[in-house]
């Protein structure tokens, strides 16, 4: 187990990954799906709050940073007009169901069920970007997703109380980021 202070690495790695992503937005090589990134901002902020409420200490920092990076991406998309991927009806449905899962997450008084809704909300938000990454990998910056893997591995290594409500979001973020990175780089892996 690592000391809780290792959670501060999440700040640095998230900011580096986000800076790479934003740089590519301004260069026109990355076009984020704004539905995904909005929900990716909202859901982790709620998740970090629930983690802290469940007794997590600095192990909640990677979850919080998972929402802070998307906030910066959305600000960049606002500054650089037409920098985002075209939103489809499917994206809107994913966003609406993700938002519904967030509301259910907030309404439930059971922390474990709340975390399941949080994962569902974020997962639904991730679907449009997963599909886009698979079909159009050149529109994403794969390196920007690596901090999500590293941060949450560190988050797991500093947990002192192993309960589902504390470790589950970290595990989920590792898996979803791995899927996106694989989708972006899969052609290079098999070339």
């Amino acid at each position: 187990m690592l000391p809780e202070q290792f959670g501060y690495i999440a700040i640095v790695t998230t900011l580096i990954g986000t800076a790479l992503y934003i740089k590519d937005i301004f260069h026109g090589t990355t076009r984020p799906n704004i539905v995904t990134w909005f929900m990716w901002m909202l859901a982790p902020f709620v998740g970090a709050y629930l983690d802290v409420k469940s007794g997590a200490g600095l192990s909640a920092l990677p979850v919080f940073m998972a929402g802070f990076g998307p906030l910066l991406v959305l600000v960049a998309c606002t500054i650089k007009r037409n920098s985002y991927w075209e939103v489809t009806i499917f994206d809107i449905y994913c966003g609406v169901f993700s938002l519904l899962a967030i509301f259910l997450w907030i309404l439930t008084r059971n922390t474990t069920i709340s975390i399941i809704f949080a994962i569902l909300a974020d997962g639904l938000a991730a679907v449009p970007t997963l599909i886009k990454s698979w079909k159009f990998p050149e529109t994403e910056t794969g390196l920007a997703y690596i901090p999500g893997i590293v941060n949450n591995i560190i988050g797991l290594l500093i947990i002192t109380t192993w309960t589902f409500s504390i470790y589950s979001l970290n595990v989920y973020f590792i898996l979803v980021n791995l899927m996106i990175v694989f989708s972006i780089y899969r052609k290079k892996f098999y070339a």
Side-chain angles (χ1 to χ4, degrees):
M1 178 170 45
L2 297 174
E4 274 196 337
Q5 290 74 16
F6 273 79
Y8 292 118
I9 293 171
I11 295 170
V12 175
T13 58
T14 297
L15 292 176
I16 290 170
T18 302
L20 290 170
Y21 200 84
I22 289 171
K23 173 190 69 81
D24 287 351
I25 289 171
F26 282 104
H27 287 143
T29 56
T30 291
R31 299 189 65 196
N33 181 299
I34 58 172
V35 171
T36 294
W37 286 88
F38 177 78
M39 298 312 294
W40 278 353
M41 174 199 65
L42 185 60
F45 283 163
V46 176
Y49 168 77
L50 291 175
D51 269 359
V52 170
K53 187 177 173 186
S54 296
L58 286 176
S59 65
L61 188 57
V63 178
F64 172 81
M65 291 306 294
F68 185 71
L71 173 64
L72 297 177
V73 167
L74 290 170
V75 169
C77 288
T78 302
I79 294 169
K80 173 100 167 114
R81 299 270 181 218
N82 299 320
S83 63
Y84 48 85
W85 194 253
E86 181 180 333
V87 175
T88 66
I89 295 295
F90 178 76
D91 298 340
I92 292 169
Y93 282 133
C94 287
V96 167
F97 285 119
S98 178
L99 197 55
L100 177 62
I102 289 174
F103 284 130
L104 293 172
W105 173 16
I106 293 168
L107 292 176
T108 184
R109 294 185 189 265
N110 181 307
T111 305
T112 300
I113 293 171
S114 293
I115 296 296
I116 291 169
F117 280 127
I119 291 169
L120 182 61
D122 195 86
L124 287 166
V127 170
T129 293
L130 276 166
I131 292 170
K132 181 174 80 76
S133 297
W134 187 266
K135 290 182 178 179
F136 306 101
E138 68 280 359
T139 67
E140 282 293 335
T141 302
L143 289 176
Y145 295 94
I146 301 299
I149 298 166
V150 172
N151 294 345
N152 286 286
I153 289 172
I154 291 170
L156 288 174
L157 294 174
I158 63 176
I159 291 174
T160 56
T161 305
W162 282 86
T163 63
F164 178 80
S165 60
I166 292 175
Y167 71 77
S168 57
L169 281 168
N170 297 99
V171 171
Y172 162 75
F173 285 130
I174 292 167
L175 294 175
V176 76
N177 281 290
L178 281 172
M179 288 189 295
I180 292 171
V181 168
F182 177 77
S183 296
I184 294 168
Y185 293 118
R186 70 184 163 75
K187 290 181 181 177
K188 291 180 183 177
F189 293 145
Y190 296 112

